[in-house]
């Protein structure tokens, strides 16, 4: 098993601050996390920019949109029918809960993840992004780059999100800020060294097991 504190330090030392998640508010992070599903960030950002232009990303303005209106606004992100449904369902749930993220986290405790997964369109990865970046909880986001990296580092190759998520837990000393930065660093590393075969072997993590 890799020492995750050492891995975190190596990533930080070599890549610097990740600058992730790029957003001015938690509501913007929520929207970005949904819009980036099954697409790249450029496409998601185009949709997010248009949504910001039309609504200011104000929750009530977004909730006042019909699903058809929202679909047209976020079309550039692809899968816009499912994503519009997920956005409205998430915002409706948060509206019902009062938009107090700390209170919501306290209310649901260890059941928060399972509650998030009940929201239509919120899968494992999005739920964990919400846990880390919205509800300030230190959990692993086992996205595609994370799964590729851990396979390179000697972990059992996993086909699904849940397989790695169950296999790897963040160290007890990680804060939610560490979890946020760790995720950002892994994604930045992945974009540079995990996109094609042979790149990892030229990286500063080659041989780290």
């Amino acid at each position: 098993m890799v020492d995750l504190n050492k891995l975190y330090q190596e990533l930080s030392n070599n890549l610097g601050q990740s600058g992730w998640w790029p957003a001015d508010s938690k509501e913007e992070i929520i929207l970005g996390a949904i819009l980036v599903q099954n697409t790249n960030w450029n496409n998601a950002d185009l949709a997010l920019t248009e949504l910001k232009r039309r609504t200011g990303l104000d929750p009530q303005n977004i909730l006042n949109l019909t699903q058809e209106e929202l679909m047209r606004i976020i079309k550039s992100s692809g899968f816009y029918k499912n994503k519009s449904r997920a956005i409205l369902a998430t915002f409706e749930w948060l509206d019902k809960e009062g938009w107090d993220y700390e209170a919501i986290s306290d209310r649901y405790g260890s059941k928060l993840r399972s509650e998030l997964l009940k929201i239509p369109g919120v899968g494992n990865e999005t739920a964990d992004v919400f846990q880390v970046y919205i509800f300030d909880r230190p959990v692993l986001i086992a996205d595609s780059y994370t799964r590729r990296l851990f396979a390179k580092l000697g972990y059992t190759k996993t086909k699904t999100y849940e397989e790695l998520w169950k296999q790897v837990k963040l160290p007890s000393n990680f804060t939610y800020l560490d979890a946020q930065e760790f995720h950002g660093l892994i994604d930045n590393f992945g974009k540079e060294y995990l996109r094609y075969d042979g790149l990892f072997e030229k990286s500063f993590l080659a041989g780290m097991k």
Side-chain angles (χ1 to χ4, degrees), residues 1 12 24 27-28 34 46 49 53 100 111 120 132 134 143 152 173 197 201-203:
M1 293 295 161
S12 182
D24 295 325
E27 292 76 37
E28 187 171 348
I34 294 171
L46 285 172
T49 299
R53 186 183 73 81
D100 187 329
K111 296 180 179 178
V132 173
I134 306 303
D143 64 359
K152 292 290 188 182
N173 63 299
D197 288 341
E201 287 67 28
K202 300 174 183 178
S203 78

Side-chain angles (χ1 to χ4, degrees), residues 5-18 181 185 189 204-205 208:
N5 279 295
K6 183 179 178 183
L7 174 60
Y8 180 28
Q9 195 63 53
E10 285 295 316
L11 289 166
S12 182
N13 289 344
N14 285 277
L15 298 177
Q17 288 190 331
S18 71
E181 185 65 5
L185 288 168
F189 178 87
F204 56 87
L205 291 181
M208 181 181 183

